[in-house]
Amino acid sequence: MSSETAGKVITCKAAIAWEADKPLSIEDVEVSPPKAHEVRVKILYTGICHTDAYTLSGQDAEGIFPSILGHEGGGVVESVGEGVTNVKVGDHVIPLYTAECRECKFCKSGKTNLCGAVRATQGKGVMPDGTVRFKCKGKDIYHFMGTSTFSQYTVVADVSIVTVNPNAPLDKACLLGCGITTGFGALTKTPDVENSNVAVFGVGCVGLSILQGARAKKCAKVIAIDTNSNKKDVALKFGATEFINPKDLPEGQSIVDKLIEMTDGGCDFTYDATGNIQVMRQALEACHKGWGVSTVIGVAPAGAEISTRPFQLVTGRVWKGSAFGGVKGRTELPGIVEDYMNGTLMVDEFVTHHQTLSGINAGFDDMHIR
Ligand SMILES: NC(=O)C1=CN([C@@H]2O[C@H](COP(=O)(O)OP(=O)(O)OC[C@H]3O[C@@H](n4cnc5c(N)ncnc54)[C@H](OP(=O)(O)O)[C@@H]3O)[C@@H](O)[C@H]2O)C=CC1
Ligand SMILES: N[C@@H](CCC(=O)N[C@@H](CSC=O)C(=O)NCC(=O)O)C(=O)O
Ligand SMILES: [Zn+2]
Ligand SMILES: [Zn+2]
């Protein structure tokens, strides 16, 4: 069965990022029908992630303009292109910026959630055939992260979408398209994390979700670190057992010294959820000699590099990273939605503000309210 609009161009509203570091502009866009192995989705809700703000600011090495940003969406399938078998018209879906084709070297490796099927074209802002599905004022508009959820309709590759429980409220479940899943997955998929000492740098959506994961995995000491002391209460609510503001430490004591002191030699696991390269170094160096593992999650500006003394690694600390929490979207995201539905994963608590599409720039400002 097909919808009335199937096969036709749909004209709808979208927020266009015409150039870096300028407000988004609400425009009429023409959204072409999906080609083979593509899906057109009516987006009902989207979150705004700090990565959208980062790309809009011009700091993303892959940032392309004009484009339609957004990657934390929830919607309903409007139509499907030829050969699409994994979703159907009317399905409630979450677009996936980390695809899962189940056929590429990455997917088959069993070692990573990264997928090679569409990543190269995704990074260039085009669909897998090298063309775009959006037009505005006669100009081609680029896609973003393979999702472009700041549009009333979007087109995604079939490997970049998953059907979820239709009873899940999409105004909240859309957040599982990035931040919450990223933090929760990064912690819960860490091997041997149970009963360990954990430090989480940055108490935003990602950091809070790491804290939730730490509680679920019954970690022993769970230390949240943020330069904003207003984050203490929420950190404790989501699973931190302690909170430190590095600015409050006595002169001469670094956050690394403090964490080593609190954990009898260093943390078993640390996570960066700030995107700050100095913090990434602190997170690594606060790990226990011999076995501590530090995971980089935050996204740093184009050109930024991390550094430490090689001795930190020689003496057994491990530096690694995680994208989308290591979660394989098509296989695992429906289960995470179920965790939300059965009350074992907090999601509603992350919704602090609502905006309509026309208020999207105010939505970006809302993220910075302390
Ligand atoms: N790898 C992945 O798959 C993903 C990565 N990300 C990235 O993760 C990062 C976190 O995202 P999100 O949680 O939404 O971001 P937020 O900005 O909401 O959270 C980051 C927190 O870190 C705090 N912070 C800043 N500097 C320091 C510091 N020196 N020490 C301790 N805390 C500090 C910030 O405080 P303040 O607000 O006062 O600056 C803020 O509270 C971003 O870089 C984002 O782009 C997001 C999703 C997926
Ligand atoms: N485009 C950037 C890197 C941006 C980045 O690291 N993105 C994360 C997701 S952030 C979500 O909010 C990610 O999953 N990276 C892996 C990937 O394959 O993109 C750059 O060029 O540095
Ligand atoms: Zn994101
Ligand atoms: Zn793949």
Side-chain angles (χ1 to χ4, degrees), residues 50 227 232 323 348 370:
H50 279 85
T227 43
K232 179 176 177 176
D348 294 358
R370 302 163 75 88

Side-chain angles (χ1 to χ4, degrees), residues 50-51 178 182 202 204-206 226 231 273 279 297 299 322-324 370:
H50 279 85
T51 306
C178 185
T182 294
C205 176
V206 174
D226 200 292
K231 300 284 180 92
V279 173
I297 301 174
V299 175
S322 171
F324 196 42
R370 302 163 75 88

Side-chain angles (χ1 to χ4, degrees), residues 105-177:
K105 181 179 180 182
F106 292 89
C107 285
K108 282 181 166 167
S109 72
K111 298 175 183 175
T112 178
N113 66 327
L114 299 177
C115 166
V118 298
R119 184 62 186 83
T121 47
Q122 179 174 313
K124 293 188 170 72
V126 294
M127 295 301 291
D129 74 346
T131 63
V132 299
R133 302 289 163 270
F134 299 119
K135 252 192 197 309
C136 180
K137 297 179 178 167
K139 290 196 177 80
D140 280 354
I141 305 295
Y142 289 108
H143 297 247
F144 173 66
M145 289 176 80
T147 52
S148 290
T149 60
F150 294 168
S151 176
Q152 290 174 327
Y153 286 86
T154 191
V155 178
V156 304
D158 59 359
V159 292
S160 304
I161 192 159
V162 65
T163 297
V164 298
N165 185 337
N167 296 321
L170 284 174
D171 57 333
K172 285 124 184 155
C174 67
L175 301 182
L176 295 170

Side-chain angles (χ1 to χ4, degrees), residues 18-91:
W18 286 109
E19 53 183 312
D21 213 19
K22 291 277 158 40
L24 302 180
S25 176
I26 306 300
E27 310 276 7
D28 285 323
V29 291
E30 290 149 33
V31 185
S32 296
K35 294 189 182 176
H37 291 285
E38 296 178 2
V39 180
R40 189 161 61 182
V41 182
K42 180 175 187 175
I43 296 290
L44 300 175
Y45 297 96
T46 182
I48 305 175
C49 171
H50 279 85
T51 306
D52 299 308
Y54 151 88
T55 300
L56 181 59
S57 75
Q59 295 182 70
D60 183 353
E62 288 183 309
I64 305 176
F65 302 91
S67 58
I68 298 176
L69 302 174
H71 60 283
E72 242 178 21
V76 176
V77 173
E78 175 272 337
S79 62
V80 299
E82 204 185 307
V84 173
T85 55
N86 58 319
V87 299
K88 59 183 188 312
V89 173
D91 277 3

Side-chain angles (χ1 to χ4, degrees), residues 240-370:
T241 58
E242 279 143 279
F243 176 89
I244 308 172
N245 181 341
K247 291 179 178 167
D248 294 343
L249 293 175
E251 201 166 326
Q253 187 179 38
S254 70
I255 184 66
V256 173
D257 297 338
K258 176 72 179 172
L259 289 169
I260 289 173
E261 176 195 294
M262 289 172 76
T263 55
D264 187 24
C267 306
D268 301 314
F269 298 98
T270 67
Y271 298 84
D272 165 69
T274 70
N276 176 314
I277 56 172
Q278 276 77 40
V279 173
M280 293 176 191
R281 179 175 190 154
Q282 292 165 354
L284 186 265
E285 296 181 357
C287 282
H288 203 289
K289 181 177 175 178
W291 63 75
V293 177
S294 186
T295 301
V296 172
I297 301 174
V299 175
E305 294 184 351
I306 47 174
S307 62
T308 190
R309 287 178 66 216
F311 188 63
Q312 293 284 341
L313 306 182
V314 168
T315 49
R317 294 169 195 83
V318 174
W319 220 347
K320 54 183 272 205
S322 171
F324 196 42
V327 169
K328 283 178 173 275
R330 287 173 58 200
T331 302
E332 297 179 304
L333 196 57
I336 296 178
V337 172
E338 292 312 315
D339 290 344
Y340 162 50
M341 295 295 282
N342 66 32
T344 54
L345 178 68
M346 284 189 270
V347 175
D348 294 358
E349 291 77 358
F350 286 89
V351 181
T352 55
H353 299 73
H354 292 92
Q355 297 284 351
T356 58
L357 182 60
S358 59
I360 194 162
N361 289 303
F364 276 74
D365 296 339
D366 292 340
M367 286 202 293
H368 298 113
I369 290 171
R370 302 163 75 88

